[in-house]
Amino acid sequence: MSDQEQQQQQVRRKGGLITMPFIIANEAFEKVSSYGLLPNMILYLMEEYGMTLAEGTQVIFLWSAATNFTPLVGALVADSYLGRFLTIAIGSIISLLGMILLWLTAMIPQLRASSPPQLAFLYFSYSLMSIGAGGIRACSPGFGADQLDDKRDDSSNTRLLESYFNWYYVAASAAVLVSLTVIVYIQDELGWKIGFAVPAALMFLSASMFIVASSLYVKHEASTNLLASFAQVIVASCRKWNAPFPSPSTSEQYYHHEKEAGFLVPTSVPTNKSRFLNKACTIMSYEEEVSSDGSAVNPWRTCTVEQVEQLKSLIRIIPMWSTSIMMSVNTSQSTFLLVQAEAMDRHLTQSIEIPAGSFNMFLVISMIVWLPIYDRAIIPLVSKILGRPVRLGVKLRMGIGLFFCALSMVVAGVVEHVRRDLAVDTIMLVNNSKAAATMSAMWLIPQCVLQGVGEAFNVVGQLEFYYSEFPTSMVSLASALYWLGMAVANLLDSAIVSMVDEITSRNGGTSWVTTDINEGHLDWYYWLLASLGLANVLYFAVCSVSYGPCSREVVKTEESEMIVDEEEISMLLGHTHVH
């Protein structure tokens, strides 16, 4: 047996189902730790650092933005330099250090103050947790799939991968629920010292379990550098800005291309969209630009058609991706939801009270419950009415999700309007500014349910859209785009809160987002977000029409399956068959 065969056999012995508990537990514990810190963080900043509601909210939005941006960096670093295993391991350690520093702020009173050094210490802990989370979230799903991709027959491997992703997302959802319930309860009942110590301990357990199982993993080295590839296309097209385009009859032989490409529709001729970039793969002189083995002499002067099409696919998808930003803005109002819940009656019974920081769990529960209902009840019912199997097109699902999220802000505004009026009437009646409204906090659940259903529609459709429209070589970037959209949304959220706070408090006025929500107008703030969300639905419709049909939005005649897209929804509602 050759050395190469022995090495391949050794690699095949690694990986498999035995690695799943370590990888899934690593992701789950990280989520419990990081998500468990978010719900009550606004209270920690207000009580211990003396921040106002608006100031604390902006800090949390910026922290969330950094956490959601770092998976993109993590994906690029893993694919280009470190590989997935090292990126996850280093990310786990860095995240643990950040949580330890945050725990120290609760343990040492001298670290809790609004002076620059104390705030710098706090923000440094946030930064470490964001960097660590980026490494874990960018690579964990793909690293788990690596352990099951062991060159077995396709059907067996597909079943294994499907089982893995099912367990992966079940564990991730369960982790979020635990963080919104158990961790929040510990913080409420036992204080910040223990409340921050538990996430740090879980993160230590997460990192330890993952690293201890190092010898069991299949570890693929870094391969593709997409960032460098995109840069090469841009530089090469600029260097050949005055090069003529080949004539259509002879164009194929004048473009540089790979013989086996990972693009969905392999082609030797680049598409006409963003035509200027085609100059990057135009061959001016075979002798000067192409070596004997068919590779480019200088990749910064001559790129392949596949490289050009990869960049084009990213450029083409950006408008559709941007429509998800406003949805994330609408669903990231947890700090205001917490403050509302604090001012309402949270009792289910006389002895059972839901913590204010746990109301976001209804959003998560709605997502988990809605998906099987949609897949196992609604779609079969619609198929029965139409007499044929049917499913909603991916873009239509994205649009429905955006509409539900905008509608949730309308409902949130109505509930807050009623709550505030009741609170103001109570204050005037008893002549006590600290009087609390008697309205039940259960009225906050409908907006959470609408947000959960909206996210279930849009996020699943969004991820499916990226995976189907991107080349196979860009799959890791596809998963990172979702987190990038949330990062931009957090920045936009911070900007909106800042502008609303500044504009509405001018000339001695009361800010809509003031710390005392009975004096402010969160209802008007919610309705502002609802208006922006509804405008975003119209923007999505324009982007969807401009994008055209998706790569896989076709009727599967062999299976008699109907794919309903946004142009056909009116006929669906009218019980008309779509051919």
Side-chain angles (χ1 to χ4, degrees):
M1 183 181 295
S2 66
D3 293 341
Q4 184 177 3
E5 290 175 343
Q6 290 178 352
Q7 185 177 4
Q8 290 176 349
Q9 185 176 358
Q10 184 178 5
V11 170
R12 281 196 294 269
R13 292 197 192 103
K14 295 186 176 183
L17 295 176
I18 193 175
T19 63
M20 292 300 102
F22 301 100
I23 297 172
I24 294 177
N26 175 262
E27 173 76 4
F29 283 145
E30 187 277 328
K31 274 189 165 54
V32 170
S33 303
S34 58
Y35 279 82
L37 294 173
L38 275 174
N40 279 335
M41 187 56 65
I42 184 64
L43 298 180
Y44 185 66
L45 296 178
M46 293 169 64
E47 294 173 2
E48 304 297 335
Y49 285 85
M51 295 186 184
T52 65
L53 176 61
E55 291 171 343
T57 299
Q58 290 181 53
V59 169
I60 293 175
F61 281 153
L62 292 174
W63 177 25
S64 298
T67 304
N68 292 327
F69 177 78
T70 50
L72 177 62
V73 179
L76 294 174
V77 169
D79 289 344
S80 305
Y81 304 104
L82 298 180
R84 292 190 180 98
F85 170 76
L86 273 179
T87 303
I88 296 175
I90 295 173
S92 299
I93 295 172
I94 292 176
S95 186
L96 173 61
L97 292 176
M99 291 182 183
I100 291 175
L101 294 184
L102 180 64
W103 172 65
L104 289 177
T105 65
M107 294 296 295
I108 304 174
Q110 290 78 6
L111 293 177
R112 298 193 303 274
S114 56
S115 64
Q118 282 87 352
L119 288 176
F121 189 89
L122 175 70
Y123 297 156
F124 183 58
S125 70
Y126 287 166
S127 300
L128 290 178
M129 286 187 284
S130 296
I131 294 171
I136 297 171
R137 297 177 187 180
C139 303
S140 187
F143 186 68
D146 290 343
Q147 312 309 310
L148 303 178
D149 187 15
D150 55 359
K151 308 302 181 185
R152 279 180 274 190
D153 62 278
D154 291 342
S155 60
S156 176
N157 195 52
T158 299
R159 285 195 298 271
L160 280 172
L161 289 175
E162 181 180 1
S163 178
Y164 160 68
F165 280 114
N166 285 340
W167 281 106
Y168 181 87
Y169 286 113
V170 166
S173 300
V176 173
L177 281 177
V178 170
S179 67
L180 294 175
T181 53
V182 177
I183 303 299
V184 169
Y185 177 83
I186 291 174
Q187 292 170 357
D188 286 349
E189 298 298 321
L190 302 180
W192 301 117
K193 294 179 181 179
I194 298 179
F196 288 167
V198 171
L202 290 175
M203 196 64 235
F204 174 77
L205 184 62
S206 170
S208 301
M209 289 180 62
F210 182 79
I211 295 174
V212 164
S214 172
S215 60
L216 300 176
Y217 302 135
V218 173
K219 303 168 187 173
H220 295 309
E221 296 182 358
S223 55
T224 305
N225 191 335
L226 285 175
L227 206 58
S229 176
F230 294 155
Q232 288 170 353
V233 173
I234 295 173
V235 171
S237 59
C238 291
R239 293 178 68 174
K240 295 182 178 180
W241 66 274
N242 60 346
F245 289 106
S247 62
S249 60
T250 61
S251 60
E252 183 173 339
Q253 59 182 316
Y254 287 102
Y255 286 118
H256 182 49
H257 61 88
E258 297 175 357
K259 293 182 180 180
E260 295 182 4
F263 204 69
L264 288 176
V265 185
T267 177
S268 298
V269 180
T271 59
N272 287 325
K273 294 182 179 180
S274 303
R275 194 163 180 253
F276 173 76
L277 296 176
N278 293 353
K279 294 177 181 290
C281 56
T282 301
I283 300 175
M284 304 296 296
S285 170
Y286 269 97
E287 292 75 14
E288 297 179 1
E289 298 185 44
V290 182
S291 60
S292 58
D293 63 354
S295 61
V297 173
N298 183 0
W300 293 91
R301 180 174 179 81
T302 307
C303 301
T304 64
V305 171
E306 290 72 30
Q307 282 181 279
V308 171
E309 292 303 309
Q310 286 173 354
L311 180 57
K312 285 183 179 180
S313 67
L314 178 62
I315 294 174
R316 185 183 177 214
I317 218 168
I318 286 176
M320 290 290 290
W321 163 80
S322 67
T323 63
S324 67
I325 295 174
M326 195 61 221
M327 181 202 71
S328 296
V329 169
N330 289 340
T331 58
S332 61
Q333 304 301 317
S334 58
T335 54
F336 294 119
L337 181 69
L338 182 146
V339 175
Q340 284 179 280
E342 281 281 335
M344 302 172 76
D345 180 11
R346 304 189 304 277
H347 284 88
L348 284 175
T349 65
Q350 288 185 349
S351 59
I352 300 177
E353 184 180 28
I354 300 177
S358 294
F359 272 81
N360 250 7
M361 71 179 180
F362 293 108
L363 187 155
V364 180
I365 293 173
S366 299
M367 291 180 64
I368 297 173
V369 172
W370 170 254
L371 286 173
I373 291 178
Y374 166 78
D375 187 57
R376 298 297 180 183
I378 295 180
I379 290 301
L381 178 62
V382 175
S383 300
K384 185 177 181 180
I385 293 175
L386 295 175
R388 297 179 60 184
V390 62
R391 69 180 180 91
L392 298 181
V394 61
K395 291 194 295 180
L396 181 56
R397 279 181 278 147
M398 292 169 65
I400 292 174
L402 296 179
F403 176 76
F404 270 90
C405 287
L407 184 60
S408 72
M409 290 294 99
V410 176
V411 174
V414 172
V415 172
E416 171 59 16
H417 184 75
V418 175
R419 186 212 64 78
R420 182 182 181 277
D421 284 351
L422 180 60
V424 171
D425 291 344
T426 303
I427 292 171
M428 294 178 63
L429 181 64
V430 301
N431 194 24
N432 182 1
S433 61
K434 299 295 183 180
T438 57
M439 185 175 180
S440 172
M442 301 306 116
W443 284 104
L444 298 174
I445 295 178
Q447 68 196 59
C448 296
V449 172
L450 287 172
Q451 289 176 357
V453 173
E455 278 204 58
F457 265 118
N458 184 271
V459 173
V460 175
Q462 189 183 155
L463 293 175
E464 182 181 339
F465 177 72
Y466 296 151
Y467 276 98
S468 64
E469 296 303 296
F470 272 152
T472 55
S473 59
M474 296 173 63
V475 167
S476 60
L477 182 62
S479 60
L481 271 182
Y482 168 71
W483 294 108
L484 180 61
M486 292 187 66
V488 176
N490 293 139
L491 293 175
L492 180 59
D493 229 336
S494 177
I496 292 174
V497 170
S498 179
M499 287 189 295
V500 167
D501 183 47
E502 180 182 351
I503 293 174
T504 57
S505 60
R506 286 177 181 173
N507 301 322
T510 302
S511 171
W512 290 0
V513 291
T514 186
T515 303
D516 187 347
I517 59 174
N518 293 332
E519 294 183 1
H521 270 289
L522 275 182
D523 49 351
W524 295 351
Y525 171 73
Y526 282 140
W527 286 332
L528 172 64
L529 294 183
S531 301
L532 295 175
L534 293 173
N536 185 59
V537 174
L538 298 178
Y539 170 62
F540 170 82
V542 173
C543 293
S544 179
V545 172
S546 301
Y547 189 90
C550 298
S551 300
R552 299 176 186 177
E553 293 287 270
V554 294
V555 177
K556 299 179 180 179
T557 54
E558 294 182 0
E559 300 176 3
S560 300
E561 179 178 318
M562 185 194 316
I563 300 178
V564 184
D565 212 340
E566 57 272 12
E567 294 86 357
E568 301 165 333
I569 189 62
S570 59
M571 289 187 287
L572 173 63
L573 294 176
H575 295 175
T576 304
H577 288 285
V578 181
H579 300 284

